[in-house]
Amino acid sequence: MSKVRSAFLSTAIERGYVHQCTDLEALDARLADGAVTAYIGYDCTADSLHIGSLLGIMLLRLFQRTGHKPIVLMGGGTTRIGDPSGKDESRPLLSDDEIARNMAGIRKVFAQYLHFGDGASDAVMVNNADWLDELRYIPLLRDIGRHFSVNRMLTQDSVKLRLDRDQPMTFLEFNYPILQAYDFVELARRFGCDLQMGGSDQWGNIVAGVELGRRIDRRALFGLTTPLMETASGAKMGKSVGGAVWLNAERLKPYEYWQYWRNSEDADVGRFLRLYTELPIPEIARLELLADAEINQAKKVLATEATALCHGRVAAEAAAETARSVFEAGGPTGQARGLTAHGGELPQVALPRDVLARGVPAFELFVRAGLAASNGEARRLIKGGGARLNDAVVTGEMQPVSLADLDAQGRIKLSAGKKRHALVHPS
């Protein structure tokens, strides 16, 4: 198509958010004509989202910044079933109380990225249990189910991949695409929502909603997906060696979040700056041209800007200063290195005093501190000379670490390479 006219699509395409769209030209015309309402749905499977969901959140934020209205759809109803997309097995079924607790935790994430209220472009949060809980089975089959072809549903990736691997799929999960499609229709009816956005793994479900709206309400709806996010080395976004990279501070401290972005691969810096920060494109173009040791400066900018969006500017600057004072200044431990002022942001591990009194093998302590994923990885780290204890190289995997290694502040500093660190203290 010719050059897009709408501010939202123009920016989204320029920064790399757009993967597929059901009708890009018609959507662009609709967006250029006036304010549009769009939604992304999130099931409540944990009490926080992780950065695997961040691309969609940033897209909703851009949507609002360009004058449109975002809806955050909480899957209070669909979480009871579990989305089979991208999963090799059924998700655990959660109780209503667990779903409610998870929903409360997820709300905190969006408060950082979107402005909620009653204005024309203010975001709203909606729970699909409000209508799914009221559905009756026979009317659902007659009025909605008749528009779905089992033949076509079997070709969707979420179903086909599971069956190709001889992995079971329950009838409960098989119903999920129908309910997601129905969500779109309900949001169109209740809120005038014309656009559903989501990850590329949701393409089949999104298209089903677009078609359902056309068939039962004769309404023109649109779908847009973001690309599958992987690092330059092919790792899936959202995970680190220590586990998921959560967006809630209760799950992952701002300093650890900052460190995740600081440790990005060189080849990812420009792309991540476009997608996960709001820096102007010319500034990003300048930063991604930095090479060799200078690329680290761009990584620090990425880490600080991404953390500022998620946790606030104060927390982001504190994390950046912690990293500078602890790992770059090279001064003595304690207040001179900023540990007292900012040490609460550092990854910390408490071990029973009696355990430390007996002594813990170095390789085991690195695993306990989350600096190695397994005993084997810890042993390789030590043998390669990459493990340090209080800034001194660990000489052997069985080197005992005990109370005698505590510094003046009662802590033991562990380092894995130059970028990953943790503090151990007795409890």
Side-chain angles (χ1 to χ4, degrees):
M1 62 172 291
S2 58
K3 184 179 180 180
V4 296
R5 296 186 295 130
S6 62
F8 169 70
L9 275 182
S10 176
T11 305
I13 292 171
E14 180 182 34
R15 297 186 82 99
Y17 288 110
V18 177
H19 178 59
Q20 292 170 295
C21 183
T22 53
D23 189 337
L24 189 64
E25 189 168 353
L27 176 60
D28 182 49
R30 176 69 182 85
L31 289 162
D33 190 46
V36 172
T37 300
Y39 88 97
I40 298 179
Y42 300 88
D43 278 345
C44 310
T45 54
D47 60 3
S48 173
L49 300 174
H50 59 64
I51 64 165
S53 300
L54 186 53
L55 198 64
I57 296 173
M58 291 297 294
L59 193 61
L60 283 177
R61 181 178 170 89
L62 174 62
F63 195 71
Q64 185 174 49
R65 288 174 56 221
T66 51
H68 303 287
K69 188 179 188 69
I71 295 176
V72 178
L73 180 65
M74 291 284 94
T78 44
T79 303
R80 295 173 182 168
I81 293 177
D83 183 0
S85 301
K87 296 296 177 182
D88 292 334
E89 57 186 18
S90 300
R91 294 177 186 267
L93 295 180
L94 303 179
S95 69
D96 289 348
D97 287 343
E98 289 173 314
I99 292 172
R101 283 196 298 271
N102 291 344
M103 194 180 303
I106 291 172
R107 283 194 184 102
K108 297 178 184 178
V109 173
F110 287 99
Q112 296 292 329
Y113 290 91
L114 301 174
H115 180 269
F116 289 85
D118 299 323
S121 63
D122 286 346
V124 294
M125 184 169 283
V126 181
N127 184 353
N128 65 10
D130 291 347
W131 53 83
L132 294 183
D133 283 0
E134 304 303 316
L135 289 176
R136 295 167 59 204
Y137 189 58
I138 297 302
L140 175 67
L141 291 179
R142 281 180 55 91
D143 300 337
I144 306 300
R146 65 190 179 90
H147 295 289
F148 288 80
S149 162
V150 171
N151 305 65
R152 182 168 180 179
M153 291 174 72
L154 288 172
T155 66
Q156 288 186 213
D157 285 345
S158 60
V159 177
K160 186 175 184 297
L161 293 177
R162 186 86 70 85
L163 299 181
D164 287 347
R165 296 169 182 166
D166 292 325
Q167 294 161 337
M169 169 173 277
T170 66
F171 179 70
L172 189 68
E173 294 173 287
F174 194 65
N175 278 267
Y176 190 96
I178 298 175
L179 297 183
Q180 183 172 332
Y182 184 71
D183 281 344
F184 198 177
V185 171
E186 276 295 323
L187 289 170
R189 291 170 174 173
R190 295 178 182 224
F191 298 95
C193 181
D194 291 336
L195 172 63
Q196 181 182 177
M197 302 186 291
S200 60
D201 61 334
Q202 295 296 314
W203 177 250
N205 293 347
I206 290 173
V207 170
V210 170
E211 293 183 351
L212 184 63
R214 175 178 56 81
R215 287 171 177 165
I216 66 177
D217 286 346
R218 296 182 180 179
R219 187 171 191 137
L221 301 177
F222 303 93
L224 183 149
T225 62
T226 57
L228 173 67
M229 288 304 297
E230 293 181 339
T231 65
S233 61
K236 186 177 180 180
M237 289 287 291
K239 299 288 185 180
S240 70
V241 173
V245 183
W246 300 102
L247 301 180
N248 279 13
E250 294 84 356
R251 282 274 201 154
L252 189 74
K253 291 183 180 297
Y255 174 80
E256 296 172 273
Y257 187 79
W258 189 95
Q259 279 288 347
Y260 174 82
W261 294 108
R262 167 63 180 82
N263 294 336
S264 297
E265 298 176 39
D266 293 0
D268 286 326
V269 173
R271 182 167 58 115
F272 288 177
L273 282 166
R274 285 179 173 83
L275 295 172
Y276 298 113
T277 81
E278 293 175 339
L279 288 177
I281 292 296
E283 174 64 8
I284 294 173
R286 182 189 71 80
L287 289 170
E288 66 182 338
L289 287 177
L290 299 177
D292 301 323
E294 289 184 336
I295 194 66
N296 290 327
Q297 183 58 38
K299 292 180 181 181
K300 293 171 190 174
V301 173
L302 166 64
T304 300
E305 293 302 314
T307 305
L309 286 171
C310 188
H311 296 294
R313 180 64 61 179
V314 172
E317 297 293 348
E321 174 58 22
T322 297
R324 188 202 67 78
S325 60
V326 175
F327 306 129
E328 294 179 13
T333 58
Q335 179 65 39
R337 295 177 63 182
L339 285 175
T340 300
H342 306 293
E345 298 296 338
L346 287 169
Q348 300 202 26
V349 179
L351 286 182
R353 179 171 288 273
D354 62 331
V355 172
L356 277 174
R358 293 193 300 269
V360 181
F363 79 89
E364 181 181 326
L365 190 59
F366 274 79
V367 175
R368 289 195 183 202
L371 296 178
S374 65
N375 291 341
E377 182 179 311
R379 289 188 170 102
R380 290 190 294 273
L381 177 70
I382 293 169
K383 288 179 179 177
R388 290 179 177 269
L389 188 150
N390 293 331
D391 294 325
V393 175
V394 177
T395 56
E397 62 187 59
M398 295 302 295
Q399 176 180 327
V401 183
S402 67
L403 294 174
D405 295 298
L406 295 174
D407 65 11
Q409 283 72 41
R411 297 166 302 201
I412 301 169
K413 177 187 170 186
L414 302 180
S415 303
K418 297 180 179 180
K419 300 177 180 179
R420 299 172 52 235
H421 313 268
L423 296 174
V424 177
H425 59 85
S427 61

